[in-house]
Amino acid sequence: MTRAPRLVLGAVVGSMLAAGALAVWLTYGPGKASSTPPATTAVEVVWGRPAVDADGLAQRSGVRITRVAVTGGGGLLDLRFQVLDPNLANSVHDAATPPAVVDERTGLVVRDLLMNHAHTGKYTAGETYYLVFENPGNWVRRGSSVTVLLGGAQVEHVTVR
C-alpha cells in the first residue's frame, strides 16, 4: 500500500515551522557568536516521503525496521534495521533523503545522528545495523508512536520501546 508523497504530519507543519524558526533564532539570534546560520547544503532534503508498510519499506529502501528504542537515559533514540537488499539500502544515507524519526504526538523531527555517525562501506544482506539519534530533552519517549523515515519511504505508527 503506497500513498502519494506528503509532508510528514501535515497538520502540524505550521507549528513545526514556528518551532524551527524559534530554534534558529535561539541558536543564531542576537548576542550569539554567529548571527547567521551555517550555509545549507546544495542538496534539497525531502522530509515527506511515501508512507508504506514494512513490506513497502523493504521494496523501496531494502531494509526492515527491527527496533526503535529510547536509550542513554532518554537522551538517545536507537533505530535498528536489517538489510534485505544491500543495493537499495544505500539510500538510507542519501543526502536528499536522510534518516529521521518523527514523534507523531508533537511533530518533532529527530534527525541529528549521534556524533554525525553514518555507515561507510558495503551493506551485507541479513545484517542488522543501527542509527543513534540525539533525543535532547527526552522528547521521544518509550511508548511513543513515531514515523520512521529511511531512504525513499516512511513507516508510520512505529511504537518506541
Side-chain angles (χ1 to χ4, degrees):
M1 158 179 155
T2 303
R3 290 188 232 159
R6 63 177 175 78
L7 284 176
V8 177
L9 303 169
V12 295
V13 170
S15 300
M16 290 169 51
L17 293 174
L22 177 62
V24 169
W25 183 83
L26 290 173
T27 305
Y28 302 103
K32 306 297 181 194
S34 172
S35 61
T36 59
T40 58
T41 62
V43 176
E44 182 177 334
V45 173
V46 178
W47 292 112
R49 301 175 197 167
V52 297
D53 61 10
D55 291 335
L57 182 65
Q59 291 171 358
R60 293 179 75 83
S61 299
V63 300
R64 173 178 41 231
I65 299 167
T66 59
R67 171 178 230 161
V68 178
V70 172
T71 188
L76 300 174
L77 198 57
D78 181 352
L79 169 62
R80 305 273 170 144
F81 61 93
Q82 183 180 38
V83 171
L84 304 174
D85 182 332
N87 294 323
L88 291 175
N90 289 323
S91 69
V92 169
H93 288 294
D94 185 337
T97 56
V101 176
V102 180
D103 182 70
E104 293 178 358
R105 182 180 57 81
T106 64
L108 177 74
V109 178
V110 177
R111 62 183 177 88
D112 294 330
L113 293 170
L114 179 65
M115 298 172 57
N116 296 316
H117 167 80
H119 179 76
T120 57
K122 283 182 65 175
Y123 282 111
T124 303
E127 291 291 321
T128 299
Y129 296 86
Y130 64 91
L131 296 167
V132 179
F133 296 91
E134 296 176 7
N135 184 29
N138 193 17
W139 282 97
V140 178
R141 299 185 174 158
R142 286 179 181 84
S144 294
S145 185
V146 297
T147 297
V148 177
L149 289 77
L150 284 175
Q154 65 186 39
V155 178
E156 299 173 336
H157 317 304
V158 177
T159 302
V160 177
R161 297 182 183 183

